Amino acid sequence: MAHIISLTNQKGGVGKTTTSVNLSVSLAVSEVKTLLIDLDPQFNATTGIEELLIEPKGNIYDALIRGTASKDVVTKTKLEHLDIVTSTSDLVGAEVELVSIMAREHQLKKVLKPLLKKYDYILIDCPPSLGLLTLNALTCSDAVIIPIQCEYYALEGLGQLLNTIRLVQKNLNPDLEIEGVLLTMYDGRLNLSKQVAEEVRSYFEDKTFKTVIHRNVSLSEAPSFGKPALLYDANSTGAQNYMSLVEEILKDGN
C-alpha cells in the first residue's frame, strides 16, 4: 500500500517543486515504485520532467473535476519505477469548482484510492497556498514534508501552515504526520544559512531531516532541460543530496 506524502509550504520559492521532482526520481532509481502528482496550477513538476514523459494522457484536473478514471490520468515515464499525474493551467479554476462538489476535501482521496496498491510512494507537489487543493492533499496524505529555504523570513507563515495541519488532523485526517522538515538552498559559506538551520532544528528538533539540500547550479539548470538533477548531472551536489534524502526516508520507513 502506497505511503502518501504531500510536499507543502504556502511560501513560494522554497524548493518545494524541486524537491517533489528530485525526490520522486531518486526514489524511482532506487527501484521504489513511485507516483508523482502535480497538484500545482503552475505545473512546474510536469515541465521539470517533460523529457521523461511517454505519451502524456489525462491530467489531475480531468480526474478531480471531470471525473476521468484514475488509471486514465497516469502517464508513464522513461524511468521504469516512476509515473506521474500531470497538471495544467486548467487547475487554476479547480479551487472554485471544488467548492460546489460534495465532500470537496476528499476528492483527491477518491482519485488516488484505485492506485494505492500499485505504488510504494505517492508524492504530491502542492500549490503555494493553503486553499482547497492543498487541503485535498493533506486530507489524503499519510505525512507531510515541509521544505524551508535557508534565507531571510524562512519561518514566516510557518505558524499558519502548522495550524492548517493541526486543523486537518482534528477534522479530516487524524493519521496525518509531519514526515520531516527539509532545509533547502543551504550555503555553508553564509552565516545566515547556518543561523536559519539552527533555528529550524531548535524549533522542530528530531523532525528536521539530517540531509540538507545545498544551493546548487545543477538544481537550478535541470528544469530548463525538462530533466531532474539526477539525469542532468548525476554527480552534482544537488543530485547527491536528494539520494541521501531518499536513504534517510527509506531507513525511517522500515
Side-chain angles (χ1 to χ4, degrees), residues 70-184:
S70 305
K71 63 180 175 58
D72 294 329
V73 296
V74 174
T75 295
K76 296 273 180 203
T77 75
K78 293 172 186 174
L79 296 176
E80 183 186 349
H81 297 285
L82 178 65
D83 294 341
I84 181 174
V85 178
T86 61
S87 182
T88 162
S89 57
D90 287 346
L91 204 57
V92 171
E95 295 270 1
V96 177
E97 290 169 280
L98 280 167
V99 170
S100 60
I101 295 176
M102 186 78 76
R104 56 184 181 244
E105 299 91 351
H106 296 272
Q107 286 304 105
L108 185 58
K109 189 173 185 176
K110 282 162 61 178
V111 171
L112 295 185
K113 192 176 180 182
L115 303 172
L116 293 178
K117 290 181 180 174
K118 282 190 67 179
Y119 300 97
D120 300 309
Y121 278 84
I122 296 176
L123 303 186
I124 306 172
D125 183 33
C126 296
S129 69
L130 295 177
L132 261 177
L133 289 173
T134 297
L135 209 54
N136 262 268
L138 296 177
T139 299
C140 72
S141 291
D142 299 301
V144 181
I145 289 177
I146 305 170
I148 296 179
Q149 85 281 34
C150 296
E151 294 177 0
Y152 283 117
Y153 309 125
L155 300 178
E156 189 184 62
L158 212 54
Q160 193 184 353
L161 172 59
L162 294 174
N163 190 47
T164 299
I165 290 171
R166 278 192 288 271
L167 286 170
V168 169
Q169 288 168 328
K170 185 179 177 183
N171 299 301
L172 295 165
N173 182 4
D175 299 323
L176 182 65
E177 295 179 348
I178 294 178
E179 181 99 9
V181 174
L182 179 67
L183 292 163
T184 63

Side-chain angles (χ1 to χ4, degrees), residues 171-230:
N171 299 301
L172 295 165
N173 182 4
D175 299 323
L176 182 65
E177 295 179 348
I178 294 178
E179 181 99 9
V181 174
L182 179 67
L183 292 163
T184 63
M185 304 178 199
Y186 182 85
D187 188 336
R189 299 167 299 180
L190 301 178
N191 283 331
L192 176 63
S193 281
K194 293 171 185 173
Q195 287 166 6
V196 171
E198 279 175 28
E199 204 174 335
V200 169
R201 287 190 179 112
S202 67
Y203 187 84
F204 287 100
E205 299 176 340
D206 61 342
K207 284 293 181 187
T208 310
F209 286 112
K210 294 183 181 70
T211 302
V212 171
I213 310 301
H214 291 76
R215 189 175 283 285
N216 179 247
V217 174
S218 292
L219 283 180
S220 303
E221 289 179 348
S224 64
F225 292 89
K227 292 180 178 180
L230 197 63

